[in-house]
Amino acid sequence: MRKILIAGNWKMHKTSQEAVELINGLKRELADIQTVDILVCPPFTNLSEAADIIIDSNIALGAQNCHWEKEGAFTGEVSVPMLKSVRCTYVIAGHSERRKYFAESDEVVNKKIKAIKDAGLKPIFCLGETLEEREENKTFSVIETQLTGGLKDLKQDDLKDLIIAYEPVWAIGTGKTATPQQAEEVHSFIRKLLKEKFSSIVSDGLRILYGGSVKPDNTKDLINKEDIDGALVGGASLKVDSFSQIVKNSLG
Ligand code: PGA
């Protein structure tokens, strides 16, 4: 059985004070939840204080990005060992906003996934097609290219802690969610690819999250699909009420 994971990607939101309020509110609201994994991914500037607040709680901490080198002359970048030192256990790699605005290629995403894994953290590997690609019936080939590139040179054992997030770019921040059927179709395709490229141990065990305008009222229908194992939530993760409600609506 794959445990449901609900992850909040705060993107570039929240000052220090706002982050403390949000994380305290979530800790209070979600204290009793044990059957779902809960994760928050605040901006780098809030990680340390978030880690102090959620210590010994049921909420895990993740970062939204990383550099693939351990250290060096890379002004403005943050490495995985640095993230580990502030108690992050997950790191997002390959979010479509990074691919689009910061020109992250599959090769770069692959390096990041390897760095995250090598440090013993859990990569959340994002992939997804644009609207144009979907309309040109390229969804499956785009997903296959991103998956193959992002997981290049990795072996079955390397994928133990990996999580995939399918995020159709046209559904991110647009209020336009993929229907549960549309999402399931791609999730099961990803699982099939994982089986072909690795093994059924990988394809059966690996969690695949859906992301793109997840809200409290569409959570249940998405999570109920066989191959959807949770959600990566952007906008609705910025408020205690909506994120808590998404977590609660994902309970079996
Ligand atoms: P959204 O963002 O929930 O605001 O659509 C999802 C994401 O980009 O991870």
Side-chain angles (χ1 to χ4, degrees), residues 220-239:
K220 208 169 204 65
D221 288 343
L222 287 160
I223 301 287
N224 279 343
K225 289 289 177 193
E226 192 182 334
D227 291 301
I228 302 182
D229 308 311
L232 182 55
V233 186
S237 73
L238 298 174
K239 292 213 168 83

Side-chain angles (χ1 to χ4, degrees), residues 11-232:
K11 307 193 180 182
M12 197 173 71
H13 292 281
K14 306 293 177 190
T15 60
S16 170
Q17 197 185 337
E18 290 164 350
V20 167
E21 274 170 36
L22 175 52
I23 200 90
N24 273 320
L26 293 174
K27 193 177 157 188
R28 205 172 42 238
E29 272 300 309
L30 298 172
D32 296 336
I33 312 268
Q34 295 303 336
T35 51
V36 169
D37 285 338
I38 306 165
L39 169 67
V40 291
C41 302
F44 291 139
T45 45
N46 302 326
L47 289 173
S48 201
E49 56 204 356
D52 289 341
I53 297 170
I54 60 179
I55 197 160
D56 293 331
S57 81
N58 55 344
I59 302 178
L61 187 66
Q64 300 171 20
N65 184 31
C66 65
H67 195 278
W68 59 88
E69 294 290 346
K70 291 193 177 76
E71 60 180 9
F74 298 102
T75 302
E77 293 292 314
V78 174
S79 75
V80 184
M82 291 170 182
L83 297 172
K84 194 173 180 176
S85 76
V86 291
R87 287 165 281 160
C88 282
T89 49
Y90 294 76
V91 185
I92 298 173
H95 191 281
S96 64
E97 287 151 15
R98 303 279 333 159
R99 293 177 188 263
K100 180 172 173 199
Y101 301 122
F102 303 95
E104 273 188 19
S105 62
D106 291 333
E107 198 187 338
V108 164
V109 177
N110 179 243
K111 285 190 201 174
K112 292 187 178 190
I113 291 174
K114 287 176 182 160
I116 298 164
K117 169 196 79 68
D118 288 347
L121 275 64
K122 303 177 170 75
I124 300 184
F125 168 30
C126 301
L127 34 73
E129 81 288 1
T130 62
L131 183 59
E132 198 182 4
E133 289 162 344
R134 176 162 280 263
E135 285 173 352
E136 289 171 1
N137 287 322
K138 289 187 186 152
T139 299
F140 294 132
S141 65
V142 167
I143 297 294
E144 180 157 8
T145 304
Q146 291 177 343
L147 189 100
T148 308
L151 300 183
K152 189 162 171 276
D153 302 329
L154 293 174
K155 305 276 174 296
Q156 174 169 317
D157 280 356
D158 299 327
L159 304 189
K160 218 169 11 74
D161 290 327
L162 185 103
I163 290 150
I164 291 180
Y166 167 57
E167 300 204 302
V169 179
W170 48 272
I172 296 178
T174 57
K176 210 170 147 188
T177 328
T179 64
Q181 293 72 19
Q182 281 174 321
E184 172 62 19
E185 193 185 20
V186 179
H187 281 233
S188 72
F189 175 71
I190 293 171
R191 226 177 271 294
K192 182 175 88 68
L193 287 178
L194 291 169
K195 187 171 178 182
E196 284 166 17
K197 290 180 190 296
F198 298 95
S199 66
S200 53
I201 296 178
V202 171
S203 66
D204 290 346
L206 195 149
R207 290 188 283 189
I208 308 177
L209 314 182
Y210 168 78
S213 297
V214 174
K215 303 271 176 324
D217 61 2
N218 58 27
T219 303
K220 208 169 204 65
D221 288 343
L222 287 160
I223 301 287
N224 279 343
K225 289 289 177 193
E226 192 182 334
D227 291 301
I228 302 182
D229 308 311
L232 182 55

